[in-house]
Structures are given as structure tokens and as C-alpha cells.
């Protein structure tokens, strides 16, 4: 089956420069752009299509289109929602206009992403298509005018997507924003990690280990949506990983708004979780640790360095610094100094030779002076990060930074250009030509001409598009390098890795097969369980 997802902004932790939305999509949100060529529009095309209301809905017979913006956590949420819908009989499609309902999972980090989200809602409504919205935008700003009348699934209510879809198809509006609690009354990580899911990539399992964070960054809207820290129990995370490997997954991504904070609310810690996870990673499979902020990784540096020497853990860490100026960091309420960040980088580079450290910079934060920006330039020039995500400041409504005195737009663009030119001025991989690496092949390149693999440092290596390489470990010699990747020439046969063959594209994870090879429909499982429990209840009475 074709992939069930359509992403505009890929995982923010990806080492691919095409993570940003395209210029066409960015300018699509500008209402004052003149159209050069005029097209005669018929009355039929200009009038909104009336939405089809199904008062008597046969559940699981409709076609759903799922679209995701944002980070790995959002992608994981979409995979779970798609899995629940597919397990209940709904058909997933890549063709948005073939669907009766659109499930749009949003990101609130940047204004362009939200603008494109708005446009997609308007498009669906104009075509008479039912729309359900999810993600950080409606969770953080549920009273936004353009969300009026739309059904909403909150970030911790994704396990109820089926009932929301069923009611929306009947013409009802359903909004579920509640927070999940543990038996002790504290905030939970969210919906169960053991729910069915449809993986965007059958070889990669994205596991959210916690939700929310402990920061109060003045520019961040995500905190409004995801809230305070809520960690999943380590046993549930390990079980999800174990199940994934039995379904042919070869790579695990741990994700959250800040992985370094994991476990502080449940008496655990990130190193404790990682040591438990490496015990269940099969030979030839890999684990990638997601983004962590400097304050919460500092106390774990020694243990994290030890873990990254494990052969099944990528020597990679995404640590956003955002600015090289202590004054700007203070205004951002980032809760660390430039010296703290440098300590993280220096320690890990010393203890884990070759480690890839990715970071983020916000250009033109309110109040950023020329001297502040020079501090940022010097920091980036000092470390020459192979992956540097450069963002112009976007004022997010409702955040303290939105009320601060802004840097002129012209100056923001100038600083963004200067930092981008510095980033483009050095070549991070040229010295690796001629070296030999074992790489894990998991994806296909954007131009569809190569397979994408990663070496132990999570550096991107492009290999020939030979089907037998996919999902395998491959020994390659680096023949050339570019700014964002290297070319690898296989010098040995691929190694058979993973516990079993992966699920097919679009196949539902966590749904057991019948002896005949057919899937047991999820509604039947639920019905059977309900009957059994009812009989037990009657017997006990």
C-alpha cells in the first residue's frame, strides 16, 4: 500500500537540509501576492462543496488522509492514530482528494508551518471534506477562529481518534483535550506505547519516552501544548522496542521535547533507560537518541559518553544552543550559559571521538545586539557543527517573546544570511574520503536515486539503490563527500540483520496474524473481549 503520510516538515533532528517547507508553500500563505495569469473560474468551482453528513455511519468503511507537520514526536503520534484507524477498518490514502476525512497533525514551532496548516484546513473545507485537527496548534490555542467547528484530538488523547473520526463523519464536533494521569495522580507520558501503529518507515520505530518539558523558554509555544514533564515507565518503553524488533525494525529513535529530562518525575533517568534498552537491541540494529537541552544532559555526561561507546548506539546528539550570547540566553530563559554548552560539546568530543553534535540557532531574537550575534558567529565558527539548523525568530502568539522589542526584519535576514554563509563555508566530510564504515541502510534519498544509510556517527551515506541492501548492514568505502552526505561504495556483501523481515508499507504494527495469514480485525477483538468480560461479570454476580 502507498505510504499513509505526507510530511511537509521532516523530523527536526534529521540531518537533511530539505527539512524546511518549500518556498512555494511558504508564499502560499501570503494573501497579498498578485496572481499574474488570470483563469476564468466557473460558478461550480468557486462555490464551496457541501460536506456529506453521514448520520448512519458504518464504522471503518471510509478513507482517511493523514498529514503531519513537525518533529519526530508528532510523527509518532500520527503513526499511532493511523494504526488505530487502520486496525478499525479505515483505509489510509496518500491521495487527499480520494479521502472522506483529513486528519491534520500540526506543529506550532514556526509561523510558516502553522500558516500551511491553516491553508490545508481551508482547502479541505472548500472541498466539502471532513477535517479533524491534532497536534500542538489546537492544543495550545484551541480558541483560534480558524479552528471553530472543527473536531480536535488533544496531544494526550490520540488513543481516542477512532471515536472522534466516527462522530465527525456524522457531522458532530468533538474536542478532547484532557490530560492522562497515572494511578498516583501525576501526569502520564500519554496514550499507551503498545497501541497499533502504521510506521512511516517500516524499518524505523519512533518511541516517545516523555512529553512536555521543565523549561519556560520565552519564545516557545510548544510548552503551551505539551505542558509539564510526563515520562513513560521504562518497562513500557523497553517492551515497545522489543515488540518493534520482532516486526523487522532495525532502528529505534527516542524522541520527546527534551530527552535529557526523562525520568525526573518518576524516579528514573535517561542513562538508566538507555542501559535497559541496549540489552534488547539485536545485533546489527541501532538506537538514536533524540534532542536534549544543555541543562539536563550536563549531570549525565559521563554516563551518556559510556553509552555512546556501545556498538548499537549512534554516536550522535542534538543539543540546541539557540544563541552564543549569555544575555540572549538569559532573555530566552534557557537556564544555561554559553560555557555550559561548551562544556557539553568539549566533554563529548573528547570522550567520544568523532561524535556528531547537531545544534540550532535562532537569529534575530528580540533584543539581540550586534555584539550578541557576533558571539553566536564565534561559537559556530569555533565548533563548525556538521549539522546546524538556522532559524529566523518567529514571534509566537501568547509567548513572552512576542511582546519584546523586535529586531528589524531586514537585520534578522542579514544575520541569517551571514550565519548561513559561515555554515556553507566549511566541508565537514571531505577528510573522510577513502575511509571504510559499516552503515545501516534504512531509507531512500529525496531524489529517489540512492538508498540512505548512516554510519556509527549517524552521518548520512548514500549507497547504490540495490534492493538487497535495504534494512541491512553494509560495509562501504567513502568515494566522495558533499556538504550534507557522503557517497559509499559497497566492498562486501550485505549482512542479514534484524530479527525478521519488516512489515509491509502501511501494515499495522501490533495486530497479530491468524493461522490463515489474515489479520484479526480490531473491532472483533474489542467485541470479543467485551463479551468475555460481560460473562465473567454475570458469573461473579
Amino acid at each position: 500500500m502507498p505510504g499513509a503520510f505526507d510530511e511537509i516538515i521532516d523530523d527536526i533532528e534529521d540531518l537533511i537540509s530539505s527539512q524546511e517547507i518549500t518556498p512555494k508553500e511558504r508564499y502560499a500563505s501570503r494573501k497579498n501576492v498578485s496572481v499574474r495569469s488570470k483563469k476564468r473560474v466557473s460558478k461550480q468551482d468557486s462555490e464551496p462543496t457541501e460536506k456529506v453528513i453521514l448520520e448512519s455511519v458504518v464504522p471503518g468503511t471510509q478513507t482517511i488522509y493523514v498529514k503531519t507537520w513537525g518533529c519526530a514526536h508528532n510523527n509518532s503520534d500520527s503513526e499511532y492514530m493511523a494504526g488505530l484507524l487502520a486496525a478499525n477498518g479505515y483505509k489510509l490514502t496518500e491521495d487527499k482528494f480520494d479521502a472522506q476525512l483529513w486528519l491534520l497533525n500540526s506543529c506550532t514551532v514556526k509561523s510558516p508551518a502553522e500558516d500551511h496548516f491553516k491553508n490545508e484546513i481551508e482547502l479541505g473545507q472548500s472541498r466539502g471534506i471532513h477535517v479533524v485537527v491534532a497536534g500542538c496548534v489546537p492544543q495550545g490555542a484551541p480558541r483560534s477562529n480558524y479552528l471553530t467547528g472543527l473536531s480536535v484530538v488533544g496531544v494526550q488523547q490520540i488513543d481516542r481518534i477512532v471515536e472522534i473520526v466516527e462522530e465527525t463523519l456524522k457531522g458532530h464536533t468533538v474536542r478532547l483535550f484532557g490530560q492522562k494521569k497515572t494511578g498516583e495522580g501525576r501526569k502520564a507520558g500519554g496514550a499507551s506505547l503498545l497501541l497499533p501503529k502504521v510506521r512511516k518507515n517500516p524499518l524505523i520505530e519512533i518511541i516517545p519516552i516523555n512529553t512536555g518539558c521543565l523549561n519556560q523558554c520565552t519564545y516557545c509555544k510548544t510548552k503551551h501544548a505539551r505542558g509539564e514533564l510526563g515520562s513513560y515507565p521504562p518497562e513500557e518503553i523497553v517492551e515497545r522496542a522489543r515488540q518493534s524488533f520482532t516486526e523487522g525494525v532495525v532502528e529505534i529513535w527516542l524522541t520527546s521535547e527534551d530527552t535529557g529530562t526523562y525520568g525526573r518525575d518518576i524516579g528514573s533517568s535517561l542513562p538508566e533507560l538507555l542501559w535497559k534498552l541496549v540489552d534488547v537491541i539485536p545485533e546489527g540494529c541501532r538506537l538514536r537518541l533524540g534532542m536534549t537541552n544543555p541543562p539536563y544532559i550536563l549531570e549525565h555526561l559521563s554516563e551518556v559518553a559510556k553509552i555512546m561507546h556501545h556498538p548499537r548506539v549512534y554516536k550522535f546528539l542534538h543539543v540546541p544552543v539557540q544563541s552564543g550570547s549569555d544575555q540572549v540566553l538569559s532573555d530566552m530563559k534557557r537556564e544555561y550559559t554559553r560555557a555550559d554548552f561548551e562544556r557539553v560539546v568539549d566533554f563529548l568530543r573528547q570522550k567520544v571521538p568523532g561524535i556528531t553534535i547537531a545544534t540550532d540557532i535562532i537569529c534575530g531574537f528580540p533584543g539581540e545586539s550586534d555584539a550578541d550575534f557576533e558571539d553566536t558567529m564565534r561559537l559556530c565558527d569555533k565548533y563548525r557543527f556538521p549539522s546546524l539548523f538556522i532559524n529566523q525568530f518567529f514571534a509566537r502568539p501568547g509567548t513572552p517573546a512576542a511582546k519584546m522589542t523586535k529586531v528589524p526584519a531586514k537585520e534578522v535576514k542579514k544575520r541569517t544570511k551571514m550565519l548561513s554563509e559561515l555554515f556553507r563555508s566549511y566541508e565537514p566530510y571531505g577528510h573522510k574520503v577513502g575511509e571504510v564504515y559499516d552503515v545501516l541502510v534504512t531509507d531512500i534519498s529525496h531524489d529517489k536515486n540512492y538508498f540512505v544509510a548512516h554510519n556509527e556517527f549517524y552521518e548520512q551515506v548514500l549507497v547504490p539503490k540495490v534492493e538487497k541492501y535495504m534494512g541491512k548492514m553494509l560495509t562501504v568505502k567513502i568515494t566522495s563527500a558533499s556538504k550534507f552526505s557522503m557517497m559509499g561504495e559497497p566492498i562486501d556483501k550485505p549482512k542479514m540483520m534484524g530479527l525478521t523481515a519488516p512489515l509491509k508499507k502501511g501494515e499495522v504494527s501490533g495486530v497479530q496474524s491468524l493461522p490463515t495469514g489474515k489479520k484479526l480485525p480490531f473491532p472483533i477483538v474489542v467485541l470479543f473481549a467485551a463479551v468475555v468480560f460481560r460473562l465473567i461479570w454475570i458469573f461473579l454476580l
Side-chain angles (χ1 to χ4, degrees), residues 127-148:
R127 296 293 188 104
I129 295 170
H130 297 273
V131 176
V132 173
V133 294
C136 292
V137 171
Q139 183 77 40
R143 294 182 178 86
S144 299
N145 290 334
Y146 69 93
L147 298 177
T148 301

Side-chain angles (χ1 to χ4, degrees), residues 109-233:
V109 172
K110 299 178 185 179
S111 297
E114 184 171 348
D115 290 341
H116 198 267
F117 172 63
K118 291 179 186 177
N119 291 342
E120 200 74 354
I121 291 173
E122 292 174 2
L123 177 61
Q125 291 175 325
S126 71
R127 296 293 188 104
I129 295 170
H130 297 273
V131 176
V132 173
V133 294
C136 292
V137 171
Q139 183 77 40
R143 294 182 178 86
S144 299
N145 290 334
Y146 69 93
L147 298 177
T148 301
L150 293 178
S151 289
V152 181
V153 52
V155 294
Q156 286 210 315
Q157 298 293 322
I158 60 172
D159 54 338
R160 300 182 66 182
I161 185 61
V162 174
E163 60 186 284
I164 292 175
V165 164
E166 288 180 1
E167 291 303 314
T168 302
L169 288 167
K170 295 176 184 176
H172 305 152
T173 298
V174 183
R175 293 189 158 210
L176 299 178
F177 291 105
Q179 227 180 57
K180 294 197 181 297
K181 301 285 186 179
T182 66
E184 297 78 34
R186 64 170 178 80
K187 180 184 176 183
S192 170
L193 295 180
L194 303 180
L195 294 172
K197 67 156 51 177
V198 173
R199 298 185 183 97
K200 180 179 72 171
N201 183 334
L203 294 170
I204 297 175
E205 170 71 13
I206 307 172
I207 305 179
I209 61 175
N210 55 270
T211 189
C213 69
L214 296 175
N215 292 339
Q216 298 289 341
C217 298
T218 56
Y219 58 84
C220 183
K221 187 80 171 176
T222 305
K223 180 64 176 274
H224 296 196
R226 296 283 182 177
E228 296 296 330
L229 178 66
S231 301
Y232 282 99

Side-chain angles (χ1 to χ4, degrees), residues 19-77:
Q19 63 172 344
E20 300 295 336
I21 64 176
T22 65
K24 179 179 179 182
E25 293 159 346
R26 178 174 291 111
Y27 297 128
S29 64
R30 298 188 180 178
K31 306 301 183 184
N32 59 345
V33 176
S34 299
V35 181
R36 292 180 179 234
S37 59
K38 293 185 178 180
K39 179 183 177 182
R40 186 178 297 276
V41 181
S42 68
K43 183 177 180 181
Q44 181 179 359
D45 291 336
S46 62
E47 292 182 352
T49 306
E50 186 177 351
K51 188 184 300 180
V52 178
I53 305 299
L54 305 173
E55 287 297 340
S56 178
V57 173
V58 178
T61 60
Q62 292 78 26
T63 301
I64 311 293
Y65 168 70
V66 182
K67 188 179 185 112
T68 310
W69 292 264
C71 64
H73 199 160
N74 259 22
N75 276 281
S76 175
D77 287 350

